[in-house]
Amino acid sequence: MTKARRVGTILTGLIMLALGFSMSLDPQEVYTVIVWFLGLTLILSGLRSLVYFFTMAKHMVGGRSVLYRAVIVLDIGLFTLSLTDIPLIFVVLYLVAMHGFAGFVDIMRAREAKKLRAGSWKLNLSHGIINVIMAVLCLIFLGTEAVAAEIYALGLMYSGLIRIIQAFRRTAVVYIQ
């Protein structure tokens, strides 16, 4: 990871920590902030993937799958922004699906990394388990808006902390002689 990317990752992590902390201070009025934050994050991720496709991935084997993923993530982001007027239960179910899927993917990545004897499998496994726990907690407190906002704020702070930790980790460099 380059120094500029490390600084960007640390800044993103600090912003996520600050946003999560501010959400935990007043969880009653956070519903629209959560929806906007989720929607904008997904839209930016989809646009970044589209730029990646048009600059590099269209020349790669399997590059078309990057385009499909980018369009799907962009559509999900636009759909998320349209959720500001619907009841909380649908947004909480949406959070459950996102955390559950992300946790499942992280756990599977950790198992694969452990098979390959990579050193980052423990961090991926802990991140996946935390995501699954958050999905279960969202299901338990389905009707409570304040608790759902607290769970989301804690998840945001945890993700920010993980980003900061990953920025300080050494990256492996392969030397070819």
Side-chain angles (χ1 to χ4, degrees):
M1 185 181 299
T2 64
K3 289 182 183 180
R5 181 166 236 168
R6 283 185 201 275
V7 170
T9 303
I10 291 170
L11 286 176
T12 302
L14 289 174
I15 290 170
M16 290 171 74
L17 278 172
L19 191 60
F21 184 71
S22 67
M23 283 182 184
S24 67
L25 292 178
D26 187 20
Q28 298 294 338
E29 303 297 324
V30 182
Y31 175 69
T32 55
V33 174
I34 290 174
V35 172
W36 276 96
F37 185 73
L38 277 173
L40 290 176
T41 303
L42 289 168
I43 287 171
L44 289 175
S45 176
L47 289 175
R48 191 179 80 204
S49 295
L50 277 175
V51 168
Y52 173 68
F53 171 76
F54 286 116
T55 57
M56 189 179 293
K58 69 179 179 180
H59 304 294
M60 297 175 10
V61 174
R64 195 174 291 174
S65 66
V66 174
L67 175 66
Y68 297 149
R69 268 186 267 141
V71 170
I72 289 171
V73 168
L74 191 62
D75 286 345
I76 290 173
L78 292 171
F79 173 71
T80 303
L81 286 180
S82 71
L83 295 177
T84 56
D85 297 332
I86 66 169
L88 172 78
I89 192 165
F90 295 113
V91 175
V92 173
L93 288 174
Y94 190 65
L95 282 174
V96 166
M98 286 180 59
H99 279 298
F101 183 72
F104 176 73
V105 168
D106 284 340
I107 290 171
M108 298 308 288
R109 284 177 50 203
R111 289 185 62 208
E112 186 69 28
K114 186 177 180 183
K115 282 182 190 176
L116 297 173
R117 294 190 174 109
S120 64
W121 70 272
K122 292 176 188 175
L123 188 62
N124 282 343
L125 182 65
S126 69
H127 196 63
I129 290 171
I130 295 291
N131 269 332
V132 169
I133 289 171
M134 292 179 121
V136 170
L137 286 174
C138 282
L139 277 176
I140 291 172
F141 299 107
L142 196 59
T144 313
E145 181 176 336
V147 175
E150 282 288 331
I151 291 170
Y152 183 75
L154 287 174
L156 194 59
M157 287 188 284
Y158 178 74
S159 293
L161 186 65
I162 290 294
R163 279 186 183 262
I164 293 171
I165 289 171
Q166 287 176 343
F168 285 113
R169 260 191 7 210
R170 295 181 68 96
T171 54
V173 177
V174 178
Y175 291 103
I176 301 173
Q177 296 181 359

